[in-house]
Amino acid sequence: KFEKDDKHNTVSPMTTSQLRRFFGEVKRIENDFEKNKEDVHMLRPMLAYAAGRDKRTKVKDFESAMSIAIEAIGQNEKNFSRFVKLFESVVAYHKFYGGKVPACGPMTEMEQEVVKEMAAMILRYVAHDINRFSAQHLVDDLISEGIDPLLEDILKP
């Protein structure tokens, strides 16, 4: 679905080169995380710059979604590894759909797990790094009700 834009009449999907440029930087950091972990915080400005430059594609939508996930990473290698998995699936779907944004359909089991892990990372960030009291209660409730041990590990401070 394309959105209207007064100047260009439509807003196109992100191009493959835009996505690959950012993906290349993510993979560079992943190759030697210990050496490059300080660069994780530079991913957000890189996306903001791309979004500010290009008003013809949906880079801004991508930047908004990915910024939340990047902020949740911190300098934690495990969180970064999960982020890389999520991003690899974004690149794969982008390629599969020929560089177009796919229509929403049912997610595979693996995609559901990745989304749950990213949601847990974001919730942990809000609860413990930002210290939002309501989010802390939500984490406590989820753990006391019994959730997947992997998600519980992510949610613990």
Side-chain angles (χ1 to χ4, degrees):
K1 181 178 175 183
F2 295 105
E3 297 172 11
K4 292 289 179 189
D5 176 6
D6 292 334
K7 187 175 180 184
H8 300 290
N9 222 14
T10 61
V11 177
S12 303
M14 278 183 72
T15 65
T16 301
S17 62
Q18 289 170 320
L19 193 61
R20 289 297 231 174
R21 190 174 306 119
F22 185 69
F23 185 61
E25 183 64 12
V26 168
K27 293 302 275 184
R28 182 190 68 77
I29 294 169
E30 181 189 39
N31 284 337
D32 190 353
F33 185 80
E34 279 306 309
K35 178 182 171 193
N36 298 318
K37 67 182 172 184
E38 298 291 327
D39 295 339
V40 171
H41 76 279
M42 292 305 296
L43 292 172
R44 289 179 67 208
M46 182 182 184
L47 277 174
Y49 175 75
R53 275 187 79 220
D54 190 344
K55 304 295 184 206
R56 294 174 296 136
T57 66
K58 294 189 176 198
V59 176
K60 181 66 181 154
D61 295 342
F62 180 73
E63 183 264 336
S64 296
M66 293 307 253
S67 285
I68 296 167
I70 292 166
E71 195 168 326
I73 294 167
Q75 291 187 350
N76 182 304
E77 188 168 9
K78 196 173 185 181
N79 288 350
F80 187 76
S81 179
R82 289 184 181 111
F83 173 76
V84 171
K85 283 183 196 176
L86 170 72
F87 197 22
E88 285 171 344
S89 66
V90 169
V91 171
Y93 276 108
H94 192 269
K95 181 69 173 172
F96 179 78
Y97 286 99
K100 293 183 173 58
V101 178
C104 292
M107 287 191 285
T108 65
E109 197 171 310
M110 185 187 94
E111 292 168 332
Q112 290 174 15
E113 291 304 312
V114 170
V115 168
K116 287 177 189 176
E117 289 177 21
M118 291 304 298
M121 286 172 49
I122 293 167
L123 180 57
R124 181 193 176 283
Y125 172 76
V126 171
H128 300 292
D129 295 346
I130 298 180
N131 288 320
R132 294 295 299 195
F133 195 62
S134 58
Q136 290 170 2
H137 281 296
L138 181 57
V139 168
D140 293 341
D141 290 346
L142 287 169
I143 291 173
S144 69
E145 289 173 11
I147 60 170
D148 181 304
L150 174 65
L151 297 177
E152 186 173 338
D153 286 346
I154 294 169
L155 289 170
K156 289 181 179 175

